[in-house]
PDB file of all heavy atoms in Angstrom:
ATOM      1  N   LYS A  18      -1.216  -7.940  12.164  1.00  0.00           N
ATOM      2  CA  LYS A  18      -2.112  -9.139  12.251  1.00  0.00           C
ATOM      3  C   LYS A  18      -3.231  -8.801  13.252  1.00  0.00           C
ATOM      4  O   LYS A  18      -2.907  -8.460  14.417  1.00  0.00           O
ATOM      5  CB  LYS A  18      -1.368 -10.345  12.666  1.00  0.00           C
ATOM      6  CG  LYS A  18      -2.069 -11.592  12.352  1.00  0.00           C
ATOM      7  CD  LYS A  18      -1.063 -12.752  12.228  1.00  0.00           C
ATOM      8  CE  LYS A  18      -1.795 -13.890  11.577  1.00  0.00           C
ATOM      9  NZ  LYS A  18      -1.194 -14.386  10.427  1.00  0.00           N
ATOM     10  N   GLY A  19      -4.459  -8.814  12.808  1.00  0.00           N
ATOM     11  CA  GLY A  19      -5.602  -8.514  13.601  1.00  0.00           C
ATOM     12  C   GLY A  19      -6.222  -9.650  14.236  1.00  0.00           C
ATOM     13  O   GLY A  19      -5.672 -10.784  14.327  1.00  0.00           O
ATOM     14  N   GLY A  20      -7.385  -9.475  14.890  1.00  0.00           N
ATOM     15  CA  GLY A  20      -8.087 -10.527  15.516  1.00  0.00           C
ATOM     16  C   GLY A  20      -8.809 -11.457  14.461  1.00  0.00           C
ATOM     17  O   GLY A  20      -9.358 -10.931  13.565  1.00  0.00           O
ATOM     18  N   PHE A  21      -8.819 -12.768  14.704  1.00  0.00           N
ATOM     19  CA  PHE A  21      -9.390 -13.662  13.835  1.00  0.00           C
ATOM     20  C   PHE A  21     -10.000 -14.859  14.568  1.00  0.00           C
ATOM     21  O   PHE A  21      -9.410 -15.346  15.454  1.00  0.00           O
ATOM     22  CB  PHE A  21      -8.414 -14.165  12.778  1.00  0.00           C
ATOM     23  CG  PHE A  21      -8.946 -15.180  11.798  1.00  0.00           C
ATOM     24  CD1 PHE A  21      -9.728 -14.768  10.715  1.00  0.00           C
ATOM     25  CD2 PHE A  21      -8.710 -16.548  12.019  1.00  0.00           C
ATOM     26  CE1 PHE A  21     -10.210 -15.676   9.830  1.00  0.00           C
ATOM     27  CE2 PHE A  21      -9.228 -17.475  11.097  1.00  0.00           C
ATOM     28  CZ  PHE A  21      -9.973 -17.029  10.050  1.00  0.00           C
ATOM     29  N   SER A  22     -11.190 -15.197  14.145  1.00  0.00           N
ATOM     30  CA  SER A  22     -11.783 -16.509  14.726  1.00  0.00           C
ATOM     31  C   SER A  22     -12.611 -17.106  13.608  1.00  0.00           C
ATOM     32  O   SER A  22     -13.152 -16.434  12.764  1.00  0.00           O
ATOM     33  CB  SER A  22     -12.636 -16.141  15.953  1.00  0.00           C
ATOM     34  OG  SER A  22     -13.725 -15.360  15.582  1.00  0.00           O
ATOM     35  N   SER A  23     -12.680 -18.418  13.683  1.00  0.00           N
ATOM     36  CA  SER A  23     -13.520 -19.204  12.694  1.00  0.00           C
ATOM     37  C   SER A  23     -14.163 -20.361  13.311  1.00  0.00           C
ATOM     38  O   SER A  23     -13.774 -20.905  14.387  1.00  0.00           O
ATOM     39  CB  SER A  23     -12.724 -19.546  11.512  1.00  0.00           C
ATOM     40  OG  SER A  23     -11.769 -20.495  11.892  1.00  0.00           O
ATOM     41  N   ASP A  24     -15.303 -20.784  12.730  1.00  0.00           N
ATOM     42  CA  ASP A  24     -15.978 -21.996  13.194  1.00  0.00           C
ATOM     43  C   ASP A  24     -16.737 -22.536  11.979  1.00  0.00           C
ATOM     44  O   ASP A  24     -16.528 -22.084  10.884  1.00  0.00           O
ATOM     45  CB  ASP A  24     -16.914 -21.708  14.406  1.00  0.00           C
ATOM     46  CG  ASP A  24     -17.955 -20.611  14.140  1.00  0.00           C
ATOM     47  OD1 ASP A  24     -18.368 -20.459  12.962  1.00  0.00           O
ATOM     48  OD2 ASP A  24     -18.399 -20.030  15.188  1.00  0.00           O
ATOM     49  N   ALA A  25     -17.735 -23.354  12.228  1.00  0.00           N
ATOM     50  CA  ALA A  25     -18.447 -24.076  11.079  1.00  0.00           C
ATOM     51  C   ALA A  25     -19.273 -23.035  10.289  1.00  0.00           C
ATOM     52  O   ALA A  25     -19.501 -23.358   9.091  1.00  0.00           O
ATOM     53  CB  ALA A  25     -19.365 -25.145  11.670  1.00  0.00           C
ATOM     54  N   ARG A  26     -19.583 -21.896  10.803  1.00  0.00           N
ATOM     55  CA  ARG A  26     -20.330 -20.840  10.175  1.00  0.00           C
ATOM     56  C   ARG A  26     -19.516 -20.088   9.184  1.00  0.00           C
ATOM     57  O   ARG A  26     -20.029 -19.447   8.247  1.00  0.00           O
ATOM     58  CB  ARG A  26     -21.030 -19.933  11.079  1.00  0.00           C
ATOM     59  CG  ARG A  26     -21.957 -20.646  12.048  1.00  0.00           C
ATOM     60  CD  ARG A  26     -22.331 -19.673  13.164  1.00  0.00           C
ATOM     61  NE  ARG A  26     -21.168 -19.321  13.966  1.00  0.00           N
ATOM     62  CZ  ARG A  26     -21.024 -18.217  14.827  1.00  0.00           C
ATOM     63  NH1 ARG A  26     -22.061 -17.383  14.875  1.00  0.00           N
ATOM     64  NH2 ARG A  26     -19.895 -17.921  15.347  1.00  0.00           N
ATOM     65  N   GLY A  27     -18.178 -19.955   9.407  1.00  0.00           N
ATOM     66  CA  GLY A  27     -17.287 -19.114   8.636  1.00  0.00           C
ATOM     67  C   GLY A  27     -16.329 -18.473   9.506  1.00  0.00           C
ATOM     68  O   GLY A  27     -15.802 -19.104  10.423  1.00  0.00           O
ATOM     69  N   CYS A  28     -16.026 -17.125   9.256  1.00  0.00           N
ATOM     70  CA  CYS A  28     -15.035 -16.547  10.093  1.00  0.00           C
ATOM     71  C   CYS A  28     -15.370 -15.101  10.446  1.00  0.00           C
ATOM     72  O   CYS A  28     -16.227 -14.457   9.807  1.00  0.00           O
ATOM     73  CB  CYS A  28     -13.650 -16.569   9.444  1.00  0.00           C
ATOM     74  SG  CYS A  28     -13.582 -15.624   7.900  1.00  0.00           S
ATOM     75  N   PHE A  29     -14.642 -14.510  11.330  1.00  0.00           N
ATOM     76  CA  PHE A  29     -14.833 -13.093  11.748  1.00  0.00           C
ATOM     77  C   PHE A  29     -13.403 -12.581  11.856  1.00  0.00           C
ATOM     78  O   PHE A  29     -12.493 -13.220  12.487  1.00  0.00           O
ATOM     79  CB  PHE A  29     -15.522 -13.042  13.084  1.00  0.00           C
ATOM     80  CG  PHE A  29     -15.691 -11.633  13.503  1.00  0.00           C
ATOM     81  CD1 PHE A  29     -16.759 -10.834  13.076  1.00  0.00           C
ATOM     82  CD2 PHE A  29     -14.825 -11.033  14.435  1.00  0.00           C
ATOM     83  CE1 PHE A  29     -16.928  -9.512  13.545  1.00  0.00           C
ATOM     84  CE2 PHE A  29     -14.991  -9.761  14.873  1.00  0.00           C
ATOM     85  CZ  PHE A  29     -16.009  -8.981  14.466  1.00  0.00           C
ATOM     86  N   TYR A  30     -13.193 -11.404  11.203  1.00  0.00           N
ATOM     87  CA  TYR A  30     -11.855 -10.804  11.218  1.00  0.00           C
ATOM     88  C   TYR A  30     -11.884  -9.328  11.545  1.00  0.00           C
ATOM     89  O   TYR A  30     -12.727  -8.584  10.942  1.00  0.00           O
ATOM     90  CB  TYR A  30     -11.153 -11.011   9.850  1.00  0.00           C
ATOM     91  CG  TYR A  30      -9.783 -10.406   9.797  1.00  0.00           C
ATOM     92  CD1 TYR A  30      -8.771 -10.911  10.547  1.00  0.00           C
ATOM     93  CD2 TYR A  30      -9.480  -9.356   8.985  1.00  0.00           C
ATOM     94  CE1 TYR A  30      -7.542 -10.393  10.501  1.00  0.00           C
ATOM     95  CE2 TYR A  30      -8.278  -8.779   8.962  1.00  0.00           C
ATOM     96  CZ  TYR A  30      -7.232  -9.329   9.758  1.00  0.00           C
ATOM     97  OH  TYR A  30      -5.993  -8.741   9.709  1.00  0.00           O
ATOM     98  N   LYS A  31     -11.121  -8.881  12.526  1.00  0.00           N
ATOM     99  CA  LYS A  31     -11.126  -7.517  12.867  1.00  0.00           C
ATOM    100  C   LYS A  31      -9.764  -6.899  12.351  1.00  0.00           C
ATOM    101  O   LYS A  31      -8.711  -7.333  12.824  1.00  0.00           O
ATOM    102  CB  LYS A  31     -11.199  -7.278  14.380  1.00  0.00           C
ATOM    103  CG  LYS A  31     -11.216  -5.835  14.807  1.00  0.00           C
ATOM    104  CD  LYS A  31     -11.138  -5.657  16.278  1.00  0.00           C
ATOM    105  CE  LYS A  31     -12.447  -5.825  16.892  1.00  0.00           C
ATOM    106  NZ  LYS A  31     -12.407  -5.381  18.316  1.00  0.00           N
ATOM    107  N   ASP A  32      -9.806  -5.961  11.390  1.00  0.00           N
ATOM    108  CA  ASP A  32      -8.606  -5.430  10.851  1.00  0.00           C
ATOM    109  C   ASP A  32      -8.204  -4.061  11.388  1.00  0.00           C
ATOM    110  O   ASP A  32      -7.125  -3.494  11.142  1.00  0.00           O
ATOM    111  CB  ASP A  32      -8.601  -5.427   9.340  1.00  0.00           C
ATOM    112  CG  ASP A  32      -9.666  -4.520   8.748  1.00  0.00           C
ATOM    113  OD1 ASP A  32     -10.461  -3.939   9.479  1.00  0.00           O
ATOM    114  OD2 ASP A  32      -9.691  -4.309   7.567  1.00  0.00           O
ATOM    115  N   PHE A  33      -9.183  -3.424  12.171  1.00  0.00           N
ATOM    116  CA  PHE A  33      -8.856  -2.066  12.701  1.00  0.00           C
ATOM    117  C   PHE A  33      -9.651  -1.859  13.970  1.00  0.00           C
ATOM    118  O   PHE A  33     -10.880  -2.168  14.078  1.00  0.00           O
ATOM    119  CB  PHE A  33      -9.267  -1.003  11.613  1.00  0.00           C
ATOM    120  CG  PHE A  33      -9.059   0.394  12.161  1.00  0.00           C
ATOM    121  CD1 PHE A  33      -7.762   0.948  12.350  1.00  0.00           C
ATOM    122  CD2 PHE A  33     -10.137   1.169  12.505  1.00  0.00           C
ATOM    123  CE1 PHE A  33      -7.587   2.218  12.764  1.00  0.00           C
ATOM    124  CE2 PHE A  33      -9.957   2.445  12.947  1.00  0.00           C
ATOM    125  CZ  PHE A  33      -8.729   2.989  13.152  1.00  0.00           C
ATOM    126  N   GLU A  34      -8.998  -1.234  14.974  1.00  0.00           N
ATOM    127  CA  GLU A  34      -9.641  -0.762  16.154  1.00  0.00           C
ATOM    128  C   GLU A  34      -8.722   0.400  16.608  1.00  0.00           C
ATOM    129  O   GLU A  34      -7.539   0.192  16.922  1.00  0.00           O
ATOM    130  CB  GLU A  34      -9.702  -1.776  17.254  1.00  0.00           C
ATOM    131  CG  GLU A  34     -10.409  -1.288  18.543  1.00  0.00           C
ATOM    132  CD  GLU A  34     -10.525  -2.346  19.606  1.00  0.00           C
ATOM    133  OE1 GLU A  34     -10.681  -3.540  19.258  1.00  0.00           O
ATOM    134  OE2 GLU A  34     -10.299  -1.985  20.742  1.00  0.00           O
ATOM    135  N   GLU A  35      -9.285   1.612  16.636  1.00  0.00           N
ATOM    136  CA  GLU A  35      -8.492   2.837  16.871  1.00  0.00           C
ATOM    137  C   GLU A  35      -7.662   2.748  18.177  1.00  0.00           C
ATOM    138  O   GLU A  35      -6.486   3.030  18.178  1.00  0.00           O
ATOM    139  CB  GLU A  35      -9.393   4.075  16.898  1.00  0.00           C
ATOM    140  CG  GLU A  35      -8.670   5.331  16.799  1.00  0.00           C
ATOM    141  CD  GLU A  35      -9.649   6.560  16.535  1.00  0.00           C
ATOM    142  OE1 GLU A  35     -10.807   6.406  16.833  1.00  0.00           O
ATOM    143  OE2 GLU A  35      -9.092   7.537  16.128  1.00  0.00           O
ATOM    144  N   ASN A  36      -8.308   2.259  19.247  1.00  0.00           N
ATOM    145  CA  ASN A  36      -7.535   2.178  20.491  1.00  0.00           C
ATOM    146  C   ASN A  36      -6.425   1.229  20.484  1.00  0.00           C
ATOM    147  O   ASN A  36      -5.279   1.485  21.006  1.00  0.00           O
ATOM    148  CB  ASN A  36      -8.487   1.770  21.635  1.00  0.00           C
ATOM    149  CG  ASN A  36      -9.513   2.807  22.016  1.00  0.00           C
ATOM    150  OD1 ASN A  36      -9.299   3.976  21.684  1.00  0.00           O
ATOM    151  ND2 ASN A  36     -10.603   2.483  22.633  1.00  0.00           N
ATOM    152  N   GLU A  37      -6.560   0.090  19.808  1.00  0.00           N
ATOM    153  CA  GLU A  37      -5.450  -0.887  19.608  1.00  0.00           C
ATOM    154  C   GLU A  37      -4.269  -0.326  18.804  1.00  0.00           C
ATOM    155  O   GLU A  37      -3.118  -0.566  19.095  1.00  0.00           O
ATOM    156  CB  GLU A  37      -5.958  -2.117  18.983  1.00  0.00           C
ATOM    157  CG  GLU A  37      -6.806  -3.019  19.854  1.00  0.00           C
ATOM    158  CD  GLU A  37      -5.973  -3.856  20.832  1.00  0.00           C
ATOM    159  OE1 GLU A  37      -4.821  -4.166  20.535  1.00  0.00           O
ATOM    160  OE2 GLU A  37      -6.506  -4.069  21.909  1.00  0.00           O
TER     161      GLU A  37
END
Side-chain angles (χ1 to χ4, degrees):
K18 195 157 194 124
F21 178 79
S22 64
S23 65
D24 59 25
R26 301 168 296 160
C28 69
F29 180 82
Y30 180 66
K31 182 189 279 191
D32 64 353
F33 177 73
E34 183 181 321
E35 193 168 21
N36 292 338
E37 287 283 329

